[in-house]
PDB file of all heavy atoms in Angstrom:
ATOM      1  N   VAL A  26      77.032  75.309 -54.293  1.00 98.00           N
ATOM      2  CA  VAL A  26      75.988  76.326 -54.058  1.00 98.00           C
ATOM      3  C   VAL A  26      76.625  77.612 -53.545  1.00 98.00           C
ATOM      4  O   VAL A  26      76.299  78.716 -53.991  1.00 98.00           O
ATOM      5  CB  VAL A  26      74.925  75.793 -53.069  1.00 98.00           C
ATOM      6  CG1 VAL A  26      74.021  76.914 -52.571  1.00 98.00           C
ATOM      7  CG2 VAL A  26      74.094  74.686 -53.722  1.00 98.00           C
ATOM      8  N   GLU A  27      77.563  77.455 -52.607  1.00 98.00           N
ATOM      9  CA  GLU A  27      78.265  78.610 -52.034  1.00 98.00           C
ATOM     10  C   GLU A  27      79.026  79.389 -53.100  1.00 98.00           C
ATOM     11  O   GLU A  27      78.961  80.620 -53.153  1.00 98.00           O
ATOM     12  CB  GLU A  27      79.292  78.091 -51.025  1.00 98.00           C
ATOM     13  CG  GLU A  27      79.051  78.544 -49.606  1.00 98.00           C
ATOM     14  CD  GLU A  27      80.034  77.855 -48.667  1.00 98.00           C
ATOM     15  OE1 GLU A  27      81.213  77.645 -49.038  1.00 98.00           O
ATOM     16  OE2 GLU A  27      79.598  77.497 -47.584  1.00 98.00           O
ATOM     17  N   GLN A  28      79.717  78.646 -53.951  1.00 98.00           N
ATOM     18  CA  GLN A  28      80.517  79.280 -54.997  1.00 98.00           C
ATOM     19  C   GLN A  28      79.635  80.075 -55.956  1.00 98.00           C
ATOM     20  O   GLN A  28      80.055  81.096 -56.497  1.00 98.00           O
ATOM     21  CB  GLN A  28      81.293  78.201 -55.764  1.00 98.00           C
ATOM     22  CG  GLN A  28      82.252  78.748 -56.789  1.00 98.00           C
ATOM     23  CD  GLN A  28      82.921  77.638 -57.583  1.00 98.00           C
ATOM     24  OE1 GLN A  28      82.286  76.660 -57.964  1.00 98.00           O
ATOM     25  NE2 GLN A  28      84.206  77.785 -57.828  1.00 98.00           N
ATOM     26  N   ALA A  29      78.389  79.625 -56.112  1.00 98.00           N
ATOM     27  CA  ALA A  29      77.447  80.311 -57.009  1.00 98.00           C
ATOM     28  C   ALA A  29      76.754  81.484 -56.316  1.00 98.00           C
ATOM     29  O   ALA A  29      75.959  82.186 -56.944  1.00 98.00           O
ATOM     30  CB  ALA A  29      76.410  79.307 -57.519  1.00 98.00           C
ATOM     31  N   GLY A  30      77.034  81.693 -55.021  1.00 98.00           N
ATOM     32  CA  GLY A  30      76.470  82.837 -54.314  1.00 98.00           C
ATOM     33  C   GLY A  30      75.271  82.515 -53.444  1.00 98.00           C
ATOM     34  O   GLY A  30      74.613  83.415 -52.926  1.00 98.00           O
ATOM     35  N   GLY A  31      74.959  81.217 -53.276  1.00 98.00           N
ATOM     36  CA  GLY A  31      73.843  80.816 -52.419  1.00 98.00           C
ATOM     37  C   GLY A  31      74.325  80.216 -51.118  1.00 98.00           C
ATOM     38  O   GLY A  31      75.530  80.049 -50.897  1.00 98.00           O
ATOM     39  N   LEU A  32      73.385  79.908 -50.235  1.00 98.00           N
ATOM     40  CA  LEU A  32      73.679  79.223 -48.986  1.00 98.00           C
ATOM     41  C   LEU A  32      72.913  77.911 -48.975  1.00 98.00           C
ATOM     42  O   LEU A  32      71.703  77.901 -49.217  1.00 98.00           O
ATOM     43  CB  LEU A  32      73.251  80.075 -47.783  1.00 98.00           C
ATOM     44  CG  LEU A  32      74.045  81.369 -47.553  1.00 98.00           C
ATOM     45  CD1 LEU A  32      73.358  82.241 -46.513  1.00 98.00           C
ATOM     46  CD2 LEU A  32      75.477  81.055 -47.118  1.00 98.00           C
ATOM     47  N   ALA A  33      73.627  76.814 -48.701  1.00 98.00           N
ATOM     48  CA  ALA A  33      72.987  75.497 -48.705  1.00 98.00           C
ATOM     49  C   ALA A  33      72.595  75.111 -47.285  1.00 98.00           C
ATOM     50  O   ALA A  33      73.360  75.307 -46.347  1.00 98.00           O
ATOM     51  CB  ALA A  33      73.945  74.453 -49.279  1.00 98.00           C
ATOM     52  N   ALA A  34      71.384  74.593 -47.139  1.00 97.00           N
ATOM     53  CA  ALA A  34      70.924  74.086 -45.846  1.00 97.00           C
ATOM     54  C   ALA A  34      70.383  72.680 -46.046  1.00 97.00           C
ATOM     55  O   ALA A  34      69.692  72.408 -47.028  1.00 97.00           O
ATOM     56  CB  ALA A  34      69.838  74.989 -45.275  1.00 97.00           C
ATOM     57  N   ALA A  35      70.703  71.791 -45.104  1.00 97.00           N
ATOM     58  CA  ALA A  35      70.302  70.395 -45.230  1.00 97.00           C
ATOM     59  C   ALA A  35      68.825  70.214 -44.914  1.00 97.00           C
ATOM     60  O   ALA A  35      68.317  70.777 -43.947  1.00 97.00           O
ATOM     61  CB  ALA A  35      71.131  69.535 -44.279  1.00 97.00           C
ATOM     62  N   LEU A  36      68.136  69.453 -45.754  1.00 98.00           N
ATOM     63  CA  LEU A  36      66.749  69.062 -45.500  1.00 98.00           C
ATOM     64  C   LEU A  36      66.742  67.582 -45.123  1.00 98.00           C
ATOM     65  O   LEU A  36      66.859  66.719 -45.983  1.00 98.00           O
ATOM     66  CB  LEU A  36      65.887  69.259 -46.758  1.00 98.00           C
ATOM     67  CG  LEU A  36      65.757  70.668 -47.315  1.00 98.00           C
ATOM     68  CD1 LEU A  36      64.936  70.639 -48.609  1.00 98.00           C
ATOM     69  CD2 LEU A  36      65.101  71.593 -46.297  1.00 98.00           C
ATOM     70  N   PRO A  37      66.641  67.253 -43.830  1.00 97.00           N
ATOM     71  CA  PRO A  37      66.640  65.839 -43.418  1.00 97.00           C
ATOM     72  C   PRO A  37      65.330  65.173 -43.806  1.00 97.00           C
ATOM     73  O   PRO A  37      64.261  65.793 -43.734  1.00 97.00           O
ATOM     74  CB  PRO A  37      66.797  65.918 -41.897  1.00 97.00           C
ATOM     75  CG  PRO A  37      66.222  67.242 -41.521  1.00 97.00           C
ATOM     76  CD  PRO A  37      66.452  68.167 -42.686  1.00 97.00           C
ATOM     77  N   CYS A  38      65.389  63.918 -44.248  1.00 97.00           N
ATOM     78  CA  CYS A  38      64.153  63.248 -44.685  1.00 97.00           C
ATOM     79  C   CYS A  38      63.408  62.685 -43.479  1.00 97.00           C
ATOM     80  O   CYS A  38      63.485  61.490 -43.193  1.00 97.00           O
ATOM     81  CB  CYS A  38      64.442  62.179 -45.735  1.00 97.00           C
ATOM     82  SG  CYS A  38      65.932  61.217 -45.479  1.00 97.00           S
ATOM     83  N   ARG A  39      62.714  63.548 -42.776  1.00 95.00           N
ATOM     84  CA  ARG A  39      61.974  63.198 -41.576  1.00 95.00           C
ATOM     85  C   ARG A  39      60.657  62.517 -41.952  1.00 95.00           C
ATOM     86  O   ARG A  39      60.156  62.684 -43.059  1.00 95.00           O
ATOM     87  CB  ARG A  39      61.698  64.449 -40.748  1.00 95.00           C
ATOM     88  CG  ARG A  39      62.951  65.200 -40.346  1.00 95.00           C
ATOM     89  CD  ARG A  39      63.791  64.437 -39.364  1.00 95.00           C
ATOM     90  NE  ARG A  39      63.055  64.233 -38.110  1.00 95.00           N
ATOM     91  CZ  ARG A  39      63.324  63.278 -37.234  1.00 95.00           C
ATOM     92  NH1 ARG A  39      64.293  62.413 -37.472  1.00 95.00           N
ATOM     93  NH2 ARG A  39      62.625  63.181 -36.129  1.00 95.00           N
ATOM     94  N   GLU A  40      60.109  61.776 -41.001  1.00 94.00           N
ATOM     95  CA  GLU A  40      58.862  61.056 -41.275  1.00 94.00           C
ATOM     96  C   GLU A  40      57.654  61.973 -41.337  1.00 94.00           C
ATOM     97  O   GLU A  40      56.701  61.714 -42.062  1.00 94.00           O
ATOM     98  CB  GLU A  40      58.638  59.973 -40.204  1.00 94.00           C
ATOM     99  CG  GLU A  40      59.333  58.685 -40.581  1.00 94.00           C
ATOM    100  CD  GLU A  40      58.787  57.478 -39.836  1.00 94.00           C
ATOM    101  OE1 GLU A  40      57.566  57.397 -39.646  1.00 94.00           O
ATOM    102  OE2 GLU A  40      59.613  56.636 -39.456  1.00 94.00           O
ATOM    103  N   ASP A  41      57.691  63.071 -40.573  1.00 96.00           N
ATOM    104  CA  ASP A  41      56.576  64.011 -40.571  1.00 96.00           C
ATOM    105  C   ASP A  41      56.702  64.922 -41.799  1.00 96.00           C
ATOM    106  O   ASP A  41      57.043  66.100 -41.703  1.00 96.00           O
ATOM    107  CB  ASP A  41      56.576  64.827 -39.275  1.00 96.00           C
ATOM    108  CG  ASP A  41      55.269  65.574 -39.077  1.00 96.00           C
ATOM    109  OD1 ASP A  41      54.454  65.610 -40.024  1.00 96.00           O
ATOM    110  OD2 ASP A  41      55.067  66.121 -37.980  1.00 96.00           O
ATOM    111  N   VAL A  42      56.453  64.342 -42.966  1.00 96.00           N
ATOM    112  CA  VAL A  42      56.716  65.017 -44.240  1.00 96.00           C
ATOM    113  C   VAL A  42      55.904  66.306 -44.366  1.00 96.00           C
ATOM    114  O   VAL A  42      56.438  67.347 -44.759  1.00 96.00           O
ATOM    115  CB  VAL A  42      56.400  64.064 -45.424  1.00 96.00           C
ATOM    116  CG1 VAL A  42      56.519  64.799 -46.748  1.00 96.00           C
ATOM    117  CG2 VAL A  42      57.341  62.867 -45.415  1.00 96.00           C
ATOM    118  N   GLU A  43      54.644  66.271 -43.989  1.00 96.00           N
ATOM    119  CA  GLU A  43      53.778  67.443 -44.180  1.00 96.00           C
ATOM    120  C   GLU A  43      54.313  68.661 -43.432  1.00 96.00           C
ATOM    121  O   GLU A  43      54.251  69.785 -43.924  1.00 96.00           O
ATOM    122  CB  GLU A  43      52.347  67.123 -43.733  1.00 96.00           C
ATOM    123  CG  GLU A  43      51.622  66.159 -44.658  1.00 96.00           C
ATOM    124  CD  GLU A  43      51.805  66.506 -46.145  1.00 96.00           C
ATOM    125  OE1 GLU A  43      51.593  67.692 -46.494  1.00 96.00           O
ATOM    126  OE2 GLU A  43      52.179  65.632 -46.937  1.00 96.00           O
ATOM    127  N   ARG A  44      54.823  68.427 -42.229  1.00 97.00           N
ATOM    128  CA  ARG A  44      55.354  69.530 -41.430  1.00 97.00           C
ATOM    129  C   ARG A  44      56.547  70.185 -42.128  1.00 97.00           C
ATOM    130  O   ARG A  44      56.685  71.416 -42.145  1.00 97.00           O
ATOM    131  CB  ARG A  44      55.751  68.976 -40.058  1.00 97.00           C
ATOM    132  CG  ARG A  44      56.186  70.029 -39.105  1.00 97.00           C
ATOM    133  CD  ARG A  44      56.353  69.434 -37.723  1.00 97.00           C
ATOM    134  NE  ARG A  44      57.045  70.375 -36.865  1.00 97.00           N
ATOM    135  CZ  ARG A  44      57.629  70.045 -35.727  1.00 97.00           C
ATOM    136  NH1 ARG A  44      57.572  68.798 -35.308  1.00 97.00           N
ATOM    137  NH2 ARG A  44      58.242  70.949 -35.000  1.00 97.00           N
ATOM    138  N   TRP A  45      57.407  69.342 -42.716  1.00 96.00           N
ATOM    139  CA  TRP A  45      58.588  69.874 -43.407  1.00 96.00           C
ATOM    140  C   TRP A  45      58.207  70.557 -44.712  1.00 96.00           C
ATOM    141  O   TRP A  45      58.771  71.594 -45.068  1.00 96.00           O
ATOM    142  CB  TRP A  45      59.609  68.757 -43.632  1.00 96.00           C
ATOM    143  CG  TRP A  45      60.396  68.548 -42.382  1.00 96.00           C
ATOM    144  CD1 TRP A  45      60.029  67.820 -41.295  1.00 96.00           C
ATOM    145  CD2 TRP A  45      61.643  69.159 -42.061  1.00 96.00           C
ATOM    146  NE1 TRP A  45      60.980  67.925 -40.314  1.00 96.00           N
ATOM    147  CE2 TRP A  45      61.979  68.733 -40.755  1.00 96.00           C
ATOM    148  CE3 TRP A  45      62.512  70.010 -42.742  1.00 96.00           C
ATOM    149  CZ2 TRP A  45      63.153  69.148 -40.125  1.00 96.00           C
ATOM    150  CZ3 TRP A  45      63.684  70.403 -42.114  1.00 96.00           C
ATOM    151  CH2 TRP A  45      64.001  69.975 -40.830  1.00 96.00           C
ATOM    152  N   ILE A  46      57.246  69.993 -45.427  1.00 97.00           N
ATOM    153  CA  ILE A  46      56.804  70.623 -46.677  1.00 97.00           C
ATOM    154  C   ILE A  46      56.253  72.017 -46.387  1.00 97.00           C
ATOM    155  O   ILE A  46      56.517  72.970 -47.122  1.00 97.00           O
ATOM    156  CB  ILE A  46      55.733  69.742 -47.384  1.00 97.00           C
ATOM    157  CG1 ILE A  46      56.329  68.406 -47.829  1.00 97.00           C
ATOM    158  CG2 ILE A  46      55.105  70.481 -48.563  1.00 97.00           C
ATOM    159  CD1 ILE A  46      57.370  68.482 -48.921  1.00 97.00           C
ATOM    160  N   SER A  47      55.528  72.157 -45.299  1.00 96.00           N
ATOM    161  CA  SER A  47      54.941  73.465 -44.984  1.00 96.00           C
ATOM    162  C   SER A  47      56.031  74.490 -44.659  1.00 96.00           C
ATOM    163  O   SER A  47      55.810  75.689 -44.788  1.00 96.00           O
ATOM    164  CB  SER A  47      53.936  73.341 -43.837  1.00 96.00           C
ATOM    165  OG  SER A  47      54.628  73.066 -42.630  1.00 96.00           O
ATOM    166  N   GLY A  48      57.219  74.022 -44.243  1.00 96.00           N
ATOM    167  CA  GLY A  48      58.322  74.932 -43.953  1.00 96.00           C
ATOM    168  C   GLY A  48      59.157  75.295 -45.173  1.00 96.00           C
ATOM    169  O   GLY A  48      60.011  76.182 -45.113  1.00 96.00           O
ATOM    170  N   LEU A  49      58.917  74.638 -46.296  1.00 96.00           N
ATOM    171  CA  LEU A  49      59.779  74.838 -47.476  1.00 96.00           C
ATOM    172  C   LEU A  49      59.602  76.216 -48.108  1.00 96.00           C
ATOM    173  O   LEU A  49      60.448  76.644 -48.885  1.00 96.00           O
ATOM    174  CB  LEU A  49      59.524  73.749 -48.526  1.00 96.00           C
ATOM    175  CG  LEU A  49      60.030  72.338 -48.178  1.00 96.00           C
ATOM    176  CD1 LEU A  49      59.735  71.385 -49.319  1.00 96.00           C
ATOM    177  CD2 LEU A  49      61.525  72.362 -47.874  1.00 96.00           C
ATOM    178  N   ARG A  50      58.497  76.900 -47.782  1.00 95.00           N
ATOM    179  CA  ARG A  50      58.286  78.217 -48.392  1.00 95.00           C
ATOM    180  C   ARG A  50      59.403  79.188 -47.999  1.00 95.00           C
ATOM    181  O   ARG A  50      59.643  80.181 -48.685  1.00 95.00           O
ATOM    182  CB  ARG A  50      56.910  78.767 -48.021  1.00 95.00           C
ATOM    183  CG  ARG A  50      56.770  79.208 -46.575  1.00 95.00           C
ATOM    184  CD  ARG A  50      55.456  79.950 -46.366  1.00 95.00           C
ATOM    185  NE  ARG A  50      54.315  79.062 -46.473  1.00 95.00           N
ATOM    186  CZ  ARG A  50      53.748  78.424 -45.432  1.00 95.00           C
ATOM    187  NH1 ARG A  50      54.238  78.599 -44.214  1.00 95.00           N
ATOM    188  NH2 ARG A  50      52.714  77.648 -45.597  1.00 95.00           N
ATOM    189  N   ARG A  51      60.083  78.918 -46.885  1.00 95.00           N
ATOM    190  CA  ARG A  51      61.176  79.793 -46.435  1.00 95.00           C
ATOM    191  C   ARG A  51      62.432  79.646 -47.279  1.00 95.00           C
ATOM    192  O   ARG A  51      63.356  80.446 -47.172  1.00 95.00           O
ATOM    193  CB  ARG A  51      61.530  79.489 -44.989  1.00 95.00           C
ATOM    194  CG  ARG A  51      60.360  79.736 -44.082  1.00 95.00           C
ATOM    195  CD  ARG A  51      60.703  79.372 -42.669  1.00 95.00           C
ATOM    196  NE  ARG A  51      59.511  79.479 -41.848  1.00 95.00           N
ATOM    197  CZ  ARG A  51      59.529  79.875 -40.597  1.00 95.00           C
ATOM    198  NH1 ARG A  51      60.661  80.195 -40.038  1.00 95.00           N
ATOM    199  NH2 ARG A  51      58.422  79.938 -39.913  1.00 95.00           N
ATOM    200  N   PHE A  52      62.489  78.573 -48.082  1.00 97.00           N
ATOM    201  CA  PHE A  52      63.650  78.382 -48.942  1.00 97.00           C
ATOM    202  C   PHE A  52      63.382  78.998 -50.317  1.00 97.00           C
ATOM    203  O   PHE A  52      62.245  79.031 -50.775  1.00 97.00           O
ATOM    204  CB  PHE A  52      63.966  76.889 -49.086  1.00 97.00           C
ATOM    205  CG  PHE A  52      64.510  76.288 -47.812  1.00 97.00           C
ATOM    206  CD1 PHE A  52      63.658  75.759 -46.863  1.00 97.00           C
ATOM    207  CD2 PHE A  52      65.873  76.286 -47.565  1.00 97.00           C
ATOM    208  CE1 PHE A  52      64.158  75.231 -45.681  1.00 97.00           C
ATOM    209  CE2 PHE A  52      66.377  75.756 -46.385  1.00 97.00           C
ATOM    210  CZ  PHE A  52      65.518  75.235 -45.439  1.00 97.00           C
ATOM    211  N   ASP A  53      64.444  79.480 -50.953  1.00 97.00           N
ATOM    212  CA  ASP A  53      64.305  80.142 -52.250  1.00 97.00           C
ATOM    213  C   ASP A  53      64.421  79.153 -53.396  1.00 97.00           C
ATOM    214  O   ASP A  53      64.010  79.455 -54.517  1.00 97.00           O
ATOM    215  CB  ASP A  53      65.372  81.229 -52.379  1.00 97.00           C
ATOM    216  CG  ASP A  53      65.278  82.219 -51.225  1.00 97.00           C
ATOM    217  OD1 ASP A  53      64.191  82.781 -51.021  1.00 97.00           O
ATOM    218  OD2 ASP A  53      66.286  82.390 -50.510  1.00 97.00           O
ATOM    219  N   ALA A  54      64.994  77.982 -53.135  1.00 98.00           N
ATOM    220  CA  ALA A  54      65.110  76.932 -54.151  1.00 98.00           C
ATOM    221  C   ALA A  54      65.387  75.614 -53.452  1.00 98.00           C
ATOM    222  O   ALA A  54      65.748  75.583 -52.274  1.00 98.00           O
ATOM    223  CB  ALA A  54      66.239  77.242 -55.144  1.00 98.00           C
ATOM    224  N   ILE A  55      65.212  74.532 -54.208  1.00 98.00           N
ATOM    225  CA  ILE A  55      65.408  73.182 -53.689  1.00 98.00           C
ATOM    226  C   ILE A  55      66.430  72.461 -54.567  1.00 98.00           C
ATOM    227  O   ILE A  55      66.418  72.623 -55.794  1.00 98.00           O
ATOM    228  CB  ILE A  55      64.083  72.361 -53.756  1.00 98.00           C
ATOM    229  CG1 ILE A  55      62.938  73.077 -53.025  1.00 98.00           C
ATOM    230  CG2 ILE A  55      64.296  70.940 -53.231  1.00 98.00           C
ATOM    231  CD1 ILE A  55      63.047  73.103 -51.536  1.00 98.00           C
ATOM    232  N   LEU A  56      67.300  71.680 -53.943  1.00 98.00           N
ATOM    233  CA  LEU A  56      68.203  70.800 -54.690  1.00 98.00           C
ATOM    234  C   LEU A  56      67.951  69.373 -54.208  1.00 98.00           C
ATOM    235  O   LEU A  56      68.112  69.081 -53.023  1.00 98.00           O
ATOM    236  CB  LEU A  56      69.659  71.228 -54.459  1.00 98.00           C
ATOM    237  CG  LEU A  56      70.720  70.708 -55.436  1.00 98.00           C
ATOM    238  CD1 LEU A  56      71.984  71.546 -55.340  1.00 98.00           C
ATOM    239  CD2 LEU A  56      71.048  69.247 -55.265  1.00 98.00           C
ATOM    240  N   LEU A  57      67.495  68.521 -55.110  1.00 98.00           N
ATOM    241  CA  LEU A  57      67.353  67.088 -54.805  1.00 98.00           C
ATOM    242  C   LEU A  57      68.698  66.451 -55.116  1.00 98.00           C
ATOM    243  O   LEU A  57      69.142  66.461 -56.267  1.00 98.00           O
ATOM    244  CB  LEU A  57      66.259  66.450 -55.663  1.00 98.00           C
ATOM    245  CG  LEU A  57      64.806  66.867 -55.402  1.00 98.00           C
ATOM    246  CD1 LEU A  57      63.884  66.205 -56.430  1.00 98.00           C
ATOM    247  CD2 LEU A  57      64.359  66.497 -53.992  1.00 98.00           C
ATOM    248  N   SER A  58      69.340  65.876 -54.114  1.00 98.00           N
ATOM    249  CA  SER A  58      70.707  65.376 -54.288  1.00 98.00           C
ATOM    250  C   SER A  58      70.711  63.925 -54.767  1.00 98.00           C
ATOM    251  O   SER A  58      69.669  63.272 -54.843  1.00 98.00           O
ATOM    252  CB  SER A  58      71.482  65.525 -52.977  1.00 98.00           C
ATOM    253  OG  SER A  58      70.915  64.715 -51.970  1.00 98.00           O
ATOM    254  N   GLY A  59      71.902  63.426 -55.061  1.00 98.00           N
ATOM    255  CA  GLY A  59      72.062  62.056 -55.544  1.00 98.00           C
ATOM    256  C   GLY A  59      72.007  61.055 -54.407  1.00 98.00           C
ATOM    257  O   GLY A  59      72.009  61.435 -53.237  1.00 98.00           O
ATOM    258  N   GLY A  60      71.962  59.764 -54.760  1.00 97.00           N
ATOM    259  CA  GLY A  60      71.938  58.749 -53.715  1.00 97.00           C
ATOM    260  C   GLY A  60      71.444  57.407 -54.202  1.00 97.00           C
ATOM    261  O   GLY A  60      71.557  57.074 -55.382  1.00 97.00           O
ATOM    262  N   ALA A  61      70.871  56.658 -53.262  1.00 95.00           N
ATOM    263  CA  ALA A  61      70.469  55.269 -53.500  1.00 95.00           C
ATOM    264  C   ALA A  61      69.302  55.179 -54.492  1.00 95.00           C
ATOM    265  O   ALA A  61      68.778  56.190 -54.952  1.00 95.00           O
ATOM    266  CB  ALA A  61      70.085  54.616 -52.176  1.00 95.00           C
ATOM    267  N   ASP A  62      68.910  53.939 -54.797  1.00 97.00           N
ATOM    268  CA  ASP A  62      67.856  53.707 -55.795  1.00 97.00           C
ATOM    269  C   ASP A  62      66.463  53.970 -55.232  1.00 97.00           C
ATOM    270  O   ASP A  62      66.194  53.754 -54.051  1.00 97.00           O
ATOM    271  CB  ASP A  62      67.912  52.249 -56.274  1.00 97.00           C
ATOM    272  CG  ASP A  62      69.080  51.992 -57.205  1.00 97.00           C
ATOM    273  OD1 ASP A  62      69.827  52.942 -57.496  1.00 97.00           O
ATOM    274  OD2 ASP A  62      69.237  50.834 -57.636  1.00 97.00           O
TER     275      ASP A  62
END
Side-chain angles (χ1 to χ4, degrees):
V26 167
E27 243 174 37
Q28 185 184 41
L32 292 169
L36 299 177
C38 39
R39 302 292 297 158
E40 273 199 39
D41 194 350
V42 174
E43 289 315 310
R44 186 171 168 197
W45 279 82
I46 295 293
S47 70
L49 289 181
R50 71 170 69 92
R51 299 177 186 215
F52 290 89
D53 304 305
I55 305 289
L56 197 162
L57 292 176
S58 64
D62 286 359

